[in-house]
Amino acid sequence: MNNRVHQGHFARKRFGQNFLHDDYIIESIVAAIQPKADQALVEIGPGLAALTVPVSKYVDHLTVIEIDRDLASRLIENPFLHNKLTVIEQDALTFDFNLLAEQLDKPLRVFGNLPYNISTPLMFHLFEHANIITDMHFMLQKEVVTRLVAAPNSKDYGRLSVMAQYYCQIIPVLEVPPTSFKPAPKVDSAVVRLVPYKEKPYLVNDIKTLSRVTTEAFNQRRKTIRNSLSNMFTVEQLVELNIDPNLRAENLTVQQYCQLANAWK
Ligand code: SAM
């Protein structure tokens, strides 16, 4: 049942509301985050506070971003939380994380059981702020975690793998079954830790070009790159870069995508 009432709240499908109710999983996530008193923790989608309450026990202050007005009001009124919590009622996709880091004068530690419908665009939004983020812990669809960590030459390796691995070191933490949520989602979930590199292994001059190369390559992933990247590179240019034009998108490493991005004029 998708809309069952939970703690008097009617779960809203359009906001991807699947509330955690499994104490073992909740404790494991908090243990993985290891919140410390003076750190700037930021939760995306706190919902009914399943993670917010246990994390708040470790920190002096916590910022939460919640789109659902009813849930935001509940959080503001929560007697266990109100003196520690800053509740921002907003779409996390439009939130300025840079400004928050400036205001708190600290790098951010971001976490959340993310609404699955926005998890990928939200991660891309956060990657743009990677320089002011210490780490991120997210509950995602298991399939998304598999794609985040995928290595070249596998069917799961795609644009998300390249872009995420460009910015972050990625560590799967925990698998979570549908029964840990109310209402139960149809798919398995997993928690992942993303740690933005302080010094990236490979640097691109322009991130938009890396984004474009990966989009063009993976949009036609069955084709060889001599065809899929023909709008951007000639066969001679690929050969000059020591990249075999007969490879397919999934055969190229993150380093090779960075090389291509830097070679494009
Ligand atoms: N953290 C809670 C838990 O673990 O039980 C709730 C998780 S639920 C999967 C996702 C939460 O994100 C909901 O509270 C939902 O209202 C909120 N949400 C959905 N879209 C959002 C958005 N664009 N910005 C901020 N919060 C959002």
Side-chain angles (χ1 to χ4, degrees):
M1 277 220 305
N2 256 329
N3 283 336
R4 69 187 290 180
V5 174
H6 189 63
Q7 288 184 17
H9 175 77
F10 209 62
R12 295 191 165 103
K13 208 174 170 182
R14 71 177 183 286
F15 291 147
Q17 291 178 355
N18 300 94
F19 299 103
L20 265 172
H21 74 112
D22 180 328
D23 288 340
Y24 169 75
I25 297 291
I26 292 169
E27 276 168 31
S28 305
I29 297 171
V30 178
I33 299 174
Q34 287 197 20
K36 300 271 175 352
D38 58 346
Q39 296 172 336
L41 273 292
V42 182
E43 181 175 9
I44 298 172
L48 292 163
L51 296 170
T52 323
V53 168
V55 167
S56 74
K57 291 186 181 141
Y58 294 92
V59 297
D60 305 326
H61 175 257
L62 176 62
T63 308
V64 299
I65 306 165
E66 174 58 64
I67 200 170
D68 184 321
R69 179 175 298 184
D70 295 341
L71 293 177
S73 309
R74 277 175 182 251
L75 289 158
I76 290 165
E77 285 155 20
N78 186 316
F80 300 107
L81 292 169
H82 73 270
N83 58 351
K84 284 199 175 182
L85 211 60
T86 301
V87 181
I88 299 170
E89 190 195 312
Q90 191 179 327
D91 181 348
L93 284 172
T94 64
F95 185 72
D96 187 342
F97 289 89
N98 267 331
L99 187 62
L100 179 66
E102 254 174 50
Q103 286 164 347
L104 298 174
D105 197 21
K106 279 177 198 169
L108 309 179
R109 300 195 66 205
V110 185
F111 69 100
N113 168 14
L114 294 189
Y116 294 153
N117 48 343
I118 63 153
S119 63
T120 303
L122 188 60
M123 281 191 282
F124 276 96
H125 180 56
L126 285 158
F127 293 154
E128 286 171 21
H129 302 276
N131 57 327
I132 50 92
I133 294 176
T134 305
D135 57 17
M136 301 175 261
H137 289 82
F138 291 137
M139 173 89 74
L140 300 166
Q141 287 185 41
K142 191 174 146 192
E143 172 238 312
V144 177
V145 174
T146 307
R147 287 199 279 131
L148 282 170
V149 298
N153 306 316
S154 77
K155 68 172 179 17
D156 299 310
Y157 184 70
R159 179 163 181 269
L160 180 64
S161 328
V162 177
M163 297 304 288
Q165 291 170 27
Y166 171 74
Y167 284 107
C168 301
Q169 191 194 1
I170 306 168
I171 306 125
V173 173
L174 178 75
E175 293 192 5
V176 185
T179 47
S180 299
F181 303 87
K182 278 185 187 170
K186 291 199 176 68
V187 293
D188 286 330
S189 304
V191 177
V192 70
R193 176 183 299 132
L194 300 130
V195 185
Y197 289 113
K198 289 203 172 74
E199 282 180 36
K200 294 189 183 68
Y202 325 106
L203 263 185
V204 294
N205 304 327
D206 181 9
I207 192 69
K208 287 201 186 95
T209 314
L210 182 64
S211 176
R212 178 168 168 205
V213 180
T214 52
T215 303
E216 298 225 353
F218 285 104
N219 273 355
Q220 304 183 72
R221 62 182 295 147
R222 283 160 187 274
K223 290 192 178 171
T224 58
I225 55 167
R226 75 162 65 222
N227 292 314
S228 59
L229 293 181
S230 61
N231 285 337
M232 297 183 80
F233 301 97
T234 62
V235 169
E236 291 70 32
Q237 284 172 317
L238 294 173
V239 171
E240 227 170 82
L241 291 168
N242 227 349
I243 299 177
D244 181 348
N246 296 317
L247 294 177
R248 293 185 165 77
E250 69 183 44
N251 308 125
L252 267 59
T253 62
V254 176
Q255 184 178 12
Q256 286 174 317
Y257 278 108
C258 293
Q259 249 183 297
L260 285 168
N262 286 339
W264 190 70
K265 304 247 173 4

